[in-house]
Amino acid sequence: MSDSSDAGRPAEILLVEDNPGDVRLTEEAFKEGQIENKLHVVTDGVEALDFLFKRGEYADAPCPDIVLLDLNLPRKNGDEVLEEIRSDADLAKVPVIILTSSGAESDVAKSYELHANAYLTKPVNPVEFVETIRSFNSFWLSIVRLPCDQR
């Protein structure tokens, strides 16, 4: 099962990642794992907020069921994006999973202070990275029940 609601529709996932290699690995993990959810990709914090708030070219963007958020982003970092998500009444209930290369305890603590739902450190090894994405899918999109019709 890889849907986000009782209606059986595929989950809308927003990946906020500026590293093209990590984007490619994530897309490959979804493809190899036959994960049929819709993956939307933006490459910086400003673009992420435009997507989430449906501004400019993202006026018709869907509200994501889950956000996978890197911390080290250009223009606005992941902490700033997370803070804006959590300060908006409509977006506050969207699960945000930090997916970053930083294993610093201060980054982990800050993410949870800003109400991230989970913190995943990206493995350097591509095979382990793909397994991390598969584990994310297994837990967040198969076991966890997500809120329906968030916006």
Side-chain angles (χ1 to χ4, degrees), residues 1-149:
M1 181 168 118
S2 62
D3 59 44
S4 66
S5 70
D6 293 331
R9 71 171 175 78
E12 301 283 349
I13 302 166
L14 176 61
L15 173 63
V16 187
E17 174 59 67
D18 65 319
N19 181 322
D22 288 347
V23 170
R24 184 179 37 77
L25 280 174
T26 303
E27 290 170 339
E28 287 177 14
F30 272 66
K31 187 175 182 176
E32 287 176 21
Q34 298 179 341
I35 300 168
E36 297 184 14
N37 298 300
K38 179 69 176 152
L39 185 66
H40 305 272
V41 179
V42 295
T43 58
D44 67 51
V46 171
E47 194 178 3
L49 292 170
D50 287 347
F51 186 101
L52 290 163
F53 287 103
K54 302 175 184 275
R55 299 187 291 230
E57 68 180 286
Y58 299 107
D60 295 326
C63 181
D65 296 296
I66 292 182
V67 176
L68 287 172
L69 179 63
D70 189 14
L71 291 180
N72 304 310
L73 297 167
R75 301 203 294 166
K76 268 194 192 272
N77 68 39
D79 288 339
E80 293 169 313
V81 172
L82 181 56
E83 197 164 19
E84 287 198 44
I85 291 170
R86 293 300 183 235
S87 67
D88 181 82
D90 290 329
L91 293 173
K93 62 186 167 189
V94 176
V96 177
I97 314 308
I98 303 301
L99 181 62
T100 188
S101 56
S102 173
E105 192 57 41
S106 59
D107 286 340
V108 175
K110 174 85 174 188
S111 294
Y112 283 117
E113 285 170 14
L114 294 172
H115 305 287
N117 295 88
Y119 190 103
L120 303 174
T121 303
K122 295 180 210 172
V124 175
N125 179 305
V127 173
E128 291 174 6
F129 185 92
V130 168
E131 187 54 39
T132 296
I133 297 301
R134 286 185 182 154
S135 295
F136 152 79
N137 175 68
S138 177
F139 182 73
W140 283 99
L141 301 173
S142 296
I143 297 172
V144 171
R145 184 159 178 194
L146 300 173
C148 298
D149 301 323

